[in-house]
Amino acid sequence: MDIPKTMKAAVLFDLGDLRITEVPVPVLAPGEALIKVNSVAICGSDPAIIAKGWKGYPKLGEFIPGQAFSGVVAAIAPDVFEFSVGDRVAVEPHKGCGRCDNCLRGFYTTCLNYGNYELGHRHYGFSTNGAYADFAACHVNTLHKLPDSISFEEGALLTGVGTVMYGYERIGWVGAGETVVVTGPGAIGLISAHVAKILGAGRVILTGTREERLAVGRELGVDITINVREENLVDAIMDLTNGVGADMVVECTGQSAPAAEVLDFIRKNGRISYNGIYHDPVTLQLDKIVQWNLLITGPKAEGRLNLARAIPLMADGRMNLKPLITHTFSLDEINTAFDTFTGRVGGAIKVIVQP
Amino acid sequence: MDIPKTMKAAVLFDLGDLRITEVPVPVLAPGEALIKVNSVAICGSDPAIIAKGWKGYPKLGEFIPGQAFSGVVAAIAPDVFEFSVGDRVAVEPHKGCGRCDNCLRGFYTTCLNYGNYELGHRHYGFSTNGAYADFAACHVNTLHKLPDSISFEEGALLTGVGTVMYGYERIGWVGAGETVVVTGPGAIGLISAHVAKILGAGRVILTGTREERLAVGRELGVDITINVREENLVDAIMDLTNGVGADMVVECTGQSAPAAEVLDFIRKNGRISYNGIYHDPVTLQLDKIVQWNLLITGPKAEGRLNLARAIPLMADGRMNLKPLITHTFSLDEINTAFDTFTGRVGGAIKVIVQP
Amino acid sequence: MDIPKTMKAAVLFDLGDLRITEVPVPVLAPGEALIKVNSVAICGSDPAIIAKGWKGYPKLGEFIPGQAFSGVVAAIAPDVFEFSVGDRVAVEPHKGCGRCDNCLRGFYTTCLNYGNYELGHRHYGFSTNGAYADFAACHVNTLHKLPDSISFEEGALLTGVGTVMYGYERIGWVGAGETVVVTGPGAIGLISAHVAKILGAGRVILTGTREERLAVGRELGVDITINVREENLVDAIMDLTNGVGADMVVECTGQSAPAAEVLDFIRKNGRISYNGIYHDPVTLQLDKIVQWNLLITGPKAEGRLNLARAIPLMADGRMNLKPLITHTFSLDEINTAFDTFTGRVGGAIKVIVQP
Amino acid sequence: MDIPKTMKAAVLFDLGDLRITEVPVPVLAPGEALIKVNSVAICGSDPAIIAKGWKGYPKLGEFIPGQAFSGVVAAIAPDVFEFSVGDRVAVEPHKGCGRCDNCLRGFYTTCLNYGNYELGHRHYGFSTNGAYADFAACHVNTLHKLPDSISFEEGALLTGVGTVMYGYERIGWVGAGETVVVTGPGAIGLISAHVAKILGAGRVILTGTREERLAVGRELGVDITINVREENLVDAIMDLTNGVGADMVVECTGQSAPAAEVLDFIRKNGRISYNGIYHDPVTLQLDKIVQWNLLITGPKAEGRLNLARAIPLMADGRMNLKPLITHTFSLDEINTAFDTFTGRVGGAIKVIVQP
């Protein structure tokens, strides 16, 4: 592949000021491949980073956001043997330092040297440059081959899927046949519900307030939807479970009141994965954790190679996230893309930017 | 329901001498329900029990075998509140004593008071009477409601499914997206392969020697079949996994040589569930367990309520074991049923007896 | 042993009105033994039960509280083979129904039939009669033999130890060499700290406000104590862990502010066991659970036979809780005993009542 | 520290031909520190490597064996910030590539790029040079600070301790209060027994044939020793466990017959860690794994930073391996050291070489 010297990129010049400009194509460090970016999925944290920055983000005027993406290998560093030019790949945004305790034990999304570029840590689109550009330099640790049966657009959603799956891994996987309640039909909630079913949940119940989103859930295999504007959530779950409560709850609203309410419909010995972004503190009846003997976790991103786990499931069609992809924009239209995403214009769920 | 005083049953009068006769309908103990048996699946251990007995089996002339069955609740003891007359149920054969260390920790299939009837242990068709009869007395701990969408015939297979699932639970569940190799396309192998896919395996590879059984595997969702008469198994798995080996192997041949060969195509850090009945000793390169850092288990029956876990998966059609049910006989034909099963007459896989 | 017809007992005649009276000696049900009570440890929940009752507690005028105790087997029901008259025993207060999903999976302290006596559930001193009496009828599931090297007084503390241990089991045991912070030097905190060390923690740090209690902690093997009145807790832990945070935190204050503060000094990927009784809601920075990828639980009592696990550790002297036993009273002095306990009179930690 | 250009080292010139010679001091790669070696413990695999080599070992004439060692940091590469010159350290022999699936999930001792130096894998004394020399170049991932309370000699045993601990971690840690049987009182067996007790085992039973080794076991805290020449092992364990069997067995003989016999005294639902080096195949009653519902593993070396977990336990004196250190030799005496070790001359257990 012929690599140009410069490329088009969306650069953050100031907080809130993201502009398309021409920048040098990144130079590869050892272990890296140059990815010709095809599709970038806008994630919930992207607008926040653009508006407010992120601890240790690259210099304004140079910072290229974009974390969840797919593309094609355009070049490889001399020591790279795992990938070849032309390979279709999905990219995960986290690379650990590889030398702290957490990385050495496999927990690279909670690397203790977060943001330390010299020691080898990378977080594309957060602490290092990301993917809203023609090209991105990515370490092999973050690359996963995409079979032809997965489109680039769906491949860009795999980071989200990996995060959801990591939550399930961390809480002991989905138990076969269990009743899983997913609260909040945002993109992560919809993926959580879809994945629960694929991993062997018995019944998946999705809750929310927007009927059209609940309908997407049903399209993705959800068994039962509950509109919490119309039904009492706790009563409904208790009715559906003979008064026992849900075996597992995956909280995806990111809101404080629903996050607390989970304790009212989880079963004794149940498990909770908090998958939202909780901007505000949450007031819990903590005693319930003890008395009900609960297990609780929250997944920090697509840890322990869970992005890779998702690929065969998507490749053979069991996982189908096409209903989530509502809009596609070119890189030049990136600000429109963000407006569409944040304003949920036209029922936007996942918005793809294609450089 | 009108309960007669006597019933038809297949009684073991001597080793190898199973005959239909008229016996009293069982009297219910506390916590028990009387089940009008509908369908009993012949299991691999049934012919062995009939031929050779089982440690602590009931008196010859009184012993009714039959372990995997479904039916309808015909009567309940006064203290039973969980079930009502008329309920359709699947029955699991093990009830623990409920007072030994293993039972109290939830491992009732390895009850330390196995065979001690007075202390409350039951193993239908092994240490206590089973289901080749019009009626069977079953403790509520062993009963699971069958939704209408599950036929009695399929319900009788749930004990086998529960055993397979317990193997998966004990080894840490199927990891999402993993490559699972199942060796041996007998009934347990076919179920293991089918269930692996339902629980989120990436690729399921089934191995065997009989082409028609491998074809059933493909019908049940297996991705790749390997006829070990035609291909070198180890080479084939290594090719399919880029030289890494299988993430998990479920050994279902029950044969010594294949059981040992598993260590040649498992990956470093892989997991093995031995699901067969191993009549003969197996000579292993044990050092591989250490050097490859493997985890190994074998499921003792349908432990920890895994039969119940299977029900919602079968109820909504994800699990479909109809292709396994090749023959159905009446109770009067029980010896023909056994001959059909053991001789694999007409391609018999699972043979159902219906009193 | 000669069993009298009546016995002395502390009966709750009205909320707050606990009086010594003469009552019938309990009659044994199947599976039960009659225990001649030797020592009962007053627990934190006892005064609350006496003052306010408990959901489903026995009738006033008949209810005998007392949950954590030891004694000698005085008689056994005909079906009891595990124990003999004269056996010294410690008693755990929970017996599950043995037939609900949670019990069958080994989680009997969160029995789904809590309080249902007919179905076999027992919670001595809560939903059924307890031990502030000469005798108590106890099911064999709740009895554990005490070797001679354990005094009855210490044996009465084993329920507390079992609860602490169950927290460790549920969160994946104490990792060898880990830094464990225990907040709050009450009885449960002191036991948590002592047990952490016995189970292989590297360093155990105990925090609190009362210097004399921290001194008891040091006597029990705590490596470092932090008086939170004198030091900034978060700074101190971060200093001690090179800025990484504690591997595990065992929260034992039961107070809302400290329960929330735990998230400020836990490491990324850390584990938390909430062991307190949290009367008030707790406002957490829930997002930390996700971003830090934490695992959280709370132990519901002495689950999964953890009381039994503690016995060999106490028997050989590794576990030594004598420093916690500050006062001993006769049954007649029970109200003085309670006043001593609740008022922490004379530095009371654990107060023993001996019928 | 003043670093010379050359150093004394034990170089393998031909299989079986280990000689002291002068070689260049190693040059540091990024991430490495130069260690002035103090103490190297001869391990069971060392004589085998010297006699027969190892898959992918360095060129004869250049290969310096030595895997388990301690020393002082003499120099650091420019990117090393975790250690300073003068730091006392223990070294673990494995460094993973950091980019294969196993490494990224924290299983670096089973790195899929084993022996690939260019990709970053290291196995000191096996696939890369080791420690029988004045200096060794070691990656920071393999270094662990030694507090002053740990001698260099004991520090050189930490790799063995880490291996034993990793076995416990992989099998779910030692359950509190459990009865652990360790077979074989070699160095690994003695360490396994000592560590079991430190991690909370109830009773530790050590088996063997040599009375003097069993005596060392008792010195290390073993509760019960069984001389299998004098007692029937299976009977003895069954007697000690009321016929139930051992909760966990740690097999350390490396011999085939004892490795198979483990299945005769493990309890139903027990766990087995195979810690030996099994040169010969082992013929197992594999069916017992299924019927007894066992969990089995073997630890591949000091995985998941278990060497680091051991340090605080040794630092405060709970772990005391001094009784194992029977002999110390200078580097010049290395061949005598090996003869002493392999011939068990003078009751040799662990033999230390000090360059």
Side-chain angles (χ1 to χ4, degrees):
Chain A
M1 205 178 278
D2 214 37
I3 313 295
K5 292 271 181 267
T6 65
M7 65 177 187
K8 198 188 283 190
V11 171
L12 195 67
F13 282 88
D14 204 350
L15 294 183
D17 177 14
L18 185 74
R19 267 182 279 149
I20 303 299
T21 184
E22 198 73 11
V23 302
V25 167
V27 177
L28 295 184
E32 288 188 343
L34 189 69
I35 305 303
K36 174 71 194 74
V37 179
N38 182 292
S39 293
V40 194
I42 299 181
C43 290
S45 46
D46 282 345
I49 290 168
I50 289 164
K52 303 187 220 161
W54 179 261
K55 193 173 174 252
Y57 62 105
K59 231 169 95 173
L60 290 171
E62 295 181 3
F63 176 30
I64 303 170
Q67 60 178 289
F69 59 108
S70 61
V72 174
V73 174
I76 55 174
D79 67 333
V80 169
F81 77 103
E82 296 95 337
F83 296 89
S84 306
V85 170
D87 281 350
R88 304 172 78 245
V89 291
V91 185
E92 65 175 311
H94 285 87
K95 181 194 167 283
C97 73
R99 60 203 271 177
C100 72
D101 286 9
N102 278 358
C103 282
L104 286 169
R105 289 195 174 108
F107 300 107
Y108 58 82
T109 56
T110 46
C111 175
L112 299 177
N113 289 313
Y114 186 94
N116 190 326
Y117 187 91
E118 285 69 32
L119 289 180
H121 182 269
R122 304 281 186 278
H123 192 185
Y124 309 141
F126 288 74
S127 70
T128 55
N129 275 343
Y132 292 122
D134 288 335
F135 294 94
C138 302
H139 193 273
V140 291
N141 288 14
T142 64
L143 299 180
H144 303 280
K145 280 181 199 166
L146 271 188
D148 291 341
S149 59
I150 300 180
S151 70
F152 286 115
E153 288 84 352
E154 273 194 280
L157 302 190
L158 283 166
T159 291
V161 178
T163 300
V164 162
M165 280 198 172
Y166 184 41
Y168 287 128
E169 177 176 351
R170 193 116 172 93
I171 202 71
W173 293 114
V174 176
E178 291 185 347
T179 294
V180 177
V181 173
V182 178
T183 57
I188 286 293
L190 290 165
I191 294 172
S192 295
H194 188 53
V195 170
K197 197 86 185 180
I198 293 167
L199 298 187
R203 281 185 304 176
V204 175
I205 302 168
L206 178 67
T207 76
T209 58
R210 287 169 284 158
E211 203 44 60
E212 68 281 12
R213 284 293 181 95
L214 298 175
V216 176
R218 289 188 295 268
E219 192 178 351
L220 291 171
V222 164
D223 297 284
I224 298 163
T225 54
I226 297 174
N227 190 322
V228 300
R229 292 242 167 89
E230 295 166 10
E231 291 184 73
N232 178 293
L233 176 55
V234 176
D235 291 350
I237 302 293
M238 285 302 171
D239 279 357
L240 288 164
T241 58
N242 298 320
V244 170
D247 296 312
M248 192 191 298
V249 180
V250 185
E251 212 297 316
C252 300
T253 69
Q255 307 289 318
S256 299
E261 193 183 23
V262 165
L263 298 181
D264 295 333
F265 57 84
I266 187 81
R267 75 176 282 154
K268 287 181 176 180
N269 278 88
R271 293 169 295 144
I272 302 171
S273 182
Y274 280 108
N275 286 12
I277 299 174
Y278 301 89
H279 295 292
D280 300 315
V282 177
T283 301
L284 293 176
Q285 297 296 337
L286 193 68
D287 211 49
K288 194 87 177 258
I289 296 175
V290 190
Q291 296 298 322
W292 250 233
N293 214 192
L294 304 176
L295 276 178
I296 297 175
T297 195
K300 173 57 181 173
E302 72 298 337
R304 291 179 83 76
L305 301 180
N306 273 278
L307 191 154
R309 289 184 179 279
I311 290 176
L313 302 172
M314 190 179 269
D316 72 7
R318 271 176 286 175
M319 188 182 294
N320 175 7
L321 299 181
K322 293 187 194 78
L324 298 190
I325 303 175
T326 53
H327 296 77
T328 305
F329 293 94
S330 72
L331 182 57
D332 288 327
E333 303 166 303
I334 189 164
N335 284 311
T336 309
F338 272 106
D339 291 346
T340 303
F341 178 77
T342 54
R344 290 177 185 167
V345 176
I349 305 178
K350 288 307 276 189
V351 174
I352 305 288
V353 175
Q354 295 187 307
Chain B
M1 204 177 281
D2 213 35
I3 313 292
K5 291 270 182 264
T6 65
M7 67 178 185
K8 198 186 286 188
V11 171
L12 195 67
F13 281 86
D14 203 349
L15 293 184
D17 178 14
L18 186 73
R19 268 182 279 149
I20 303 298
T21 185
E22 198 73 12
V23 301
V25 166
V27 177
L28 296 184
E32 288 188 342
L34 187 70
I35 305 302
K36 172 72 194 74
V37 179
N38 182 292
S39 294
V40 194
I42 299 182
C43 290
S45 46
D46 281 346
I49 290 168
I50 289 164
K52 303 187 222 163
W54 179 263
K55 194 175 175 250
Y57 62 105
K59 231 168 94 174
L60 290 171
E62 296 181 3
F63 176 30
I64 303 169
Q67 60 180 290
F69 58 109
S70 60
V72 174
V73 174
I76 55 174
D79 66 334
V80 170
F81 77 103
E82 296 96 336
F83 295 90
S84 306
V85 171
D87 281 349
R88 304 172 78 247
V89 291
V91 185
E92 63 175 311
H94 286 87
K95 179 193 169 283
C97 73
R99 59 203 271 178
C100 72
D101 285 8
N102 278 359
C103 282
L104 286 169
R105 289 195 175 107
F107 299 108
Y108 58 81
T109 56
T110 46
C111 175
L112 299 176
N113 289 312
Y114 185 93
N116 192 325
Y117 187 90
E118 284 69 32
L119 288 179
H121 182 270
R122 303 284 186 276
H123 190 185
Y124 308 142
F126 290 74
S127 70
T128 54
N129 275 343
Y132 292 122
D134 288 336
F135 293 94
C138 302
H139 193 272
V140 291
N141 287 15
T142 65
L143 300 180
H144 304 280
K145 280 182 199 166
L146 272 188
D148 291 340
S149 58
I150 300 180
S151 69
F152 286 114
E153 289 84 352
E154 274 194 280
L157 302 190
L158 283 166
T159 291
V161 178
T163 300
V164 163
M165 279 198 173
Y166 183 42
Y168 287 127
E169 177 176 351
R170 192 111 172 97
I171 202 71
W173 293 113
V174 176
E178 291 185 345
T179 294
V180 177
V181 174
V182 178
T183 57
I188 285 293
L190 290 165
I191 294 172
S192 295
H194 189 52
V195 169
K197 198 85 186 180
I198 293 167
L199 298 188
R203 280 185 305 176
V204 175
I205 301 169
L206 178 68
T207 76
T209 57
R210 287 169 284 158
E211 202 47 58
E212 69 279 12
R213 285 293 181 94
L214 297 174
V216 176
R218 290 189 295 269
E219 193 179 347
L220 291 171
V222 164
D223 297 284
I224 297 164
T225 53
I226 297 174
N227 189 322
V228 299
R229 293 241 167 91
E230 295 166 10
E231 291 185 74
N232 178 292
L233 176 55
V234 176
D235 291 350
I237 303 293
M238 285 302 170
D239 279 357
L240 287 164
T241 57
N242 298 317
V244 170
D247 296 313
M248 191 192 297
V249 179
V250 184
E251 213 296 315
C252 299
T253 69
Q255 307 288 317
S256 299
E261 193 182 23
V262 165
L263 298 180
D264 295 333
F265 56 83
I266 187 83
R267 75 175 284 155
K268 286 180 176 180
N269 278 88
R271 293 168 294 146
I272 301 171
S273 182
Y274 281 107
N275 286 11
I277 298 174
Y278 301 90
H279 295 291
D280 300 314
V282 178
T283 301
L284 294 175
Q285 296 296 337
L286 193 69
D287 211 50
K288 195 86 177 259
I289 296 175
V290 189
Q291 296 297 323
W292 251 234
N293 214 190
L294 304 176
L295 276 178
I296 297 176
T297 197
K300 174 57 181 172
E302 74 297 338
R304 290 180 84 78
L305 300 181
N306 273 277
L307 192 155
R309 289 184 179 280
I311 289 176
L313 302 172
M314 189 179 269
D316 72 6
R318 270 176 288 174
M319 187 182 296
N320 175 8
L321 299 181
K322 293 187 194 79
L324 298 190
I325 303 175
T326 53
H327 296 75
T328 304
F329 292 94
S330 72
L331 183 57
D332 288 326
E333 304 166 302
I334 189 164
N335 285 312
T336 309
F338 272 106
D339 291 345
T340 303
F341 179 76
T342 56
R344 288 178 187 166
V345 177
I349 304 177
K350 288 307 274 188
V351 174
I352 304 288
V353 175
Q354 295 187 307
Chain C
M1 203 177 280
D2 214 36
I3 313 294
K5 292 271 182 263
T6 65
M7 66 178 186
K8 198 188 282 188
V11 171
L12 195 67
F13 282 86
D14 203 350
L15 293 184
D17 177 14
L18 185 74
R19 267 181 279 148
I20 303 297
T21 185
E22 198 74 9
V23 301
V25 167
V27 177
L28 296 185
E32 288 188 343
L34 188 70
I35 305 303
K36 172 74 194 75
V37 180
N38 181 292
S39 294
V40 195
I42 298 181
C43 290
S45 46
D46 281 346
I49 289 167
I50 290 164
K52 302 187 223 165
W54 179 263
K55 192 172 177 256
Y57 63 107
K59 231 167 95 172
L60 291 171
E62 296 179 3
F63 176 31
I64 303 169
Q67 60 180 288
F69 59 109
S70 61
V72 174
V73 174
I76 55 174
D79 66 333
V80 169
F81 76 104
E82 298 95 337
F83 296 89
S84 306
V85 170
D87 282 349
R88 304 172 77 247
V89 291
V91 185
E92 63 176 311
H94 285 86
K95 179 192 170 285
C97 72
R99 59 202 272 177
C100 72
D101 286 7
N102 278 359
C103 282
L104 286 170
R105 290 197 174 105
F107 299 107
Y108 58 80
T109 55
T110 45
C111 175
L112 299 177
N113 289 312
Y114 186 93
N116 190 326
Y117 187 90
E118 283 70 31
L119 289 180
H121 182 270
R122 303 282 186 277
H123 192 186
Y124 308 142
F126 288 74
S127 69
T128 54
N129 274 345
Y132 290 122
D134 288 335
F135 293 94
C138 301
H139 194 272
V140 289
N141 288 14
T142 65
L143 299 179
H144 303 280
K145 281 181 197 165
L146 271 188
D148 290 341
S149 59
I150 301 180
S151 69
F152 286 114
E153 289 84 352
E154 273 193 279
L157 302 190
L158 282 166
T159 290
V161 178
T163 300
V164 162
M165 279 199 173
Y166 183 42
Y168 287 129
E169 177 176 350
R170 191 112 172 97
I171 201 72
W173 293 113
V174 176
E178 291 186 346
T179 294
V180 177
V181 173
V182 178
T183 56
I188 285 293
L190 290 165
I191 294 172
S192 296
H194 189 52
V195 170
K197 198 85 185 178
I198 293 167
L199 299 187
R203 282 184 304 178
V204 175
I205 303 169
L206 177 68
T207 77
T209 58
R210 286 167 285 157
E211 203 46 60
E212 69 280 13
R213 285 292 182 97
L214 297 174
V216 176
R218 289 189 295 269
E219 193 180 347
L220 291 171
V222 163
D223 298 282
I224 298 163
T225 52
I226 297 174
N227 189 321
V228 299
R229 292 243 168 87
E230 295 166 11
E231 291 185 73
N232 177 292
L233 176 54
V234 176
D235 291 350
I237 302 294
M238 285 302 170
D239 279 358
L240 287 164
T241 56
N242 298 318
V244 170
D247 296 312
M248 193 193 296
V249 180
V250 185
E251 213 297 317
C252 300
T253 69
Q255 306 289 317
S256 299
E261 193 182 24
V262 166
L263 298 181
D264 295 333
F265 57 83
I266 187 79
R267 74 175 285 155
K268 286 180 176 179
N269 277 86
R271 292 168 296 147
I272 303 170
S273 182
Y274 280 106
N275 286 11
I277 298 174
Y278 301 90
H279 295 291
D280 300 315
V282 177
T283 302
L284 294 175
Q285 297 295 336
L286 192 69
D287 211 50
K288 195 85 177 260
I289 295 175
V290 189
Q291 296 298 321
W292 251 233
N293 213 191
L294 305 175
L295 276 177
I296 298 175
T297 196
K300 173 56 181 174
E302 72 299 335
R304 291 179 82 78
L305 300 180
N306 273 278
L307 191 154
R309 291 183 178 279
I311 290 175
L313 302 171
M314 189 179 269
D316 73 7
R318 271 175 288 175
M319 188 182 294
N320 175 7
L321 299 181
K322 293 187 195 79
L324 299 190
I325 303 174
T326 53
H327 295 76
T328 304
F329 292 95
S330 71
L331 182 57
D332 287 328
E333 303 166 304
I334 190 165
N335 285 310
T336 309
F338 272 106
D339 292 345
T340 304
F341 179 78
T342 55
R344 289 177 186 167
V345 176
I349 305 178
K350 288 307 276 187
V351 174
I352 304 287
V353 175
Q354 295 186 307
Chain D
M1 204 178 280
D2 213 36
I3 313 295
K5 291 271 182 267
T6 65
M7 66 178 188
K8 199 187 283 190
V11 171
L12 194 67
F13 281 88
D14 203 349
L15 294 183
D17 178 13
L18 186 74
R19 267 182 279 148
I20 303 298
T21 185
E22 198 74 12
V23 301
V25 166
V27 179
L28 296 184
E32 289 189 342
L34 189 69
I35 305 303
K36 174 70 194 76
V37 180
N38 181 294
S39 294
V40 193
I42 298 181
C43 290
S45 46
D46 282 346
I49 289 168
I50 289 164
K52 303 188 221 161
W54 178 263
K55 193 173 174 248
Y57 62 106
K59 230 166 98 173
L60 291 170
E62 295 180 3
F63 176 31
I64 304 169
Q67 61 180 289
F69 58 108
S70 61
V72 173
V73 175
I76 55 173
D79 66 332
V80 170
F81 76 104
E82 296 96 337
F83 296 89
S84 306
V85 170
D87 281 349
R88 303 172 79 246
V89 291
V91 184
E92 65 175 311
H94 285 86
K95 178 193 171 283
C97 72
R99 59 202 271 177
C100 72
D101 285 8
N102 278 359
C103 281
L104 287 169
R105 289 195 175 108
F107 299 107
Y108 57 82
T109 56
T110 45
C111 175
L112 299 178
N113 290 311
Y114 185 94
N116 191 325
Y117 187 91
E118 285 70 31
L119 288 180
H121 181 269
R122 303 283 186 277
H123 191 185
Y124 308 143
F126 288 74
S127 69
T128 55
N129 275 343
Y132 292 121
D134 287 336
F135 293 94
C138 302
H139 193 273
V140 290
N141 287 15
T142 65
L143 300 179
H144 304 280
K145 280 181 199 167
L146 272 187
D148 290 341
S149 59
I150 300 180
S151 70
F152 286 115
E153 289 84 352
E154 272 193 281
L157 302 190
L158 283 166
T159 291
V161 178
T163 300
V164 163
M165 280 198 172
Y166 183 41
Y168 288 128
E169 176 176 351
R170 192 113 172 95
I171 202 72
W173 292 113
V174 176
E178 291 185 346
T179 293
V180 177
V181 174
V182 179
T183 58
I188 285 294
L190 290 165
I191 294 172
S192 296
H194 189 52
V195 170
K197 198 85 185 178
I198 293 167
L199 299 188
R203 281 183 306 175
V204 176
I205 301 168
L206 178 67
T207 77
T209 58
R210 286 169 284 159
E211 203 44 63
E212 68 278 13
R213 284 294 181 94
L214 297 174
V216 176
R218 290 189 294 270
E219 193 178 347
L220 292 170
V222 164
D223 298 283
I224 297 164
T225 54
I226 297 175
N227 190 322
V228 299
R229 293 241 168 90
E230 296 167 9
E231 291 185 74
N232 178 292
L233 177 54
V234 176
D235 291 350
I237 302 294
M238 285 301 169
D239 279 357
L240 287 164
T241 57
N242 298 319
V244 170
D247 296 313
M248 192 191 298
V249 180
V250 186
E251 212 297 316
C252 299
T253 68
Q255 307 288 318
S256 299
E261 193 182 23
V262 165
L263 299 181
D264 295 333
F265 57 83
I266 187 79
R267 74 176 284 155
K268 286 179 176 181
N269 277 87
R271 292 168 295 145
I272 303 171
S273 182
Y274 280 108
N275 285 11
I277 298 175
Y278 301 89
H279 294 291
D280 299 315
V282 178
T283 301
L284 294 174
Q285 297 296 339
L286 193 69
D287 211 50
K288 195 86 177 259
I289 296 175
V290 189
Q291 296 298 322
W292 251 233
N293 213 193
L294 305 174
L295 275 178
I296 298 176
T297 196
K300 173 57 182 174
E302 72 298 337
R304 292 181 82 79
L305 301 179
N306 274 278
L307 192 154
R309 290 183 178 279
I311 290 176
L313 302 171
M314 190 179 269
D316 72 7
R318 270 175 289 175
M319 187 181 296
N320 175 8
L321 300 181
K322 293 187 193 79
L324 299 190
I325 303 175
T326 53
H327 296 77
T328 304
F329 293 95
S330 73
L331 182 56
D332 288 327
E333 304 166 302
I334 189 164
N335 285 310
T336 308
F338 273 106
D339 292 344
T340 304
F341 178 77
T342 55
R344 290 177 185 167
V345 177
I349 304 177
K350 289 306 275 187
V351 174
I352 304 287
V353 175
Q354 296 186 306

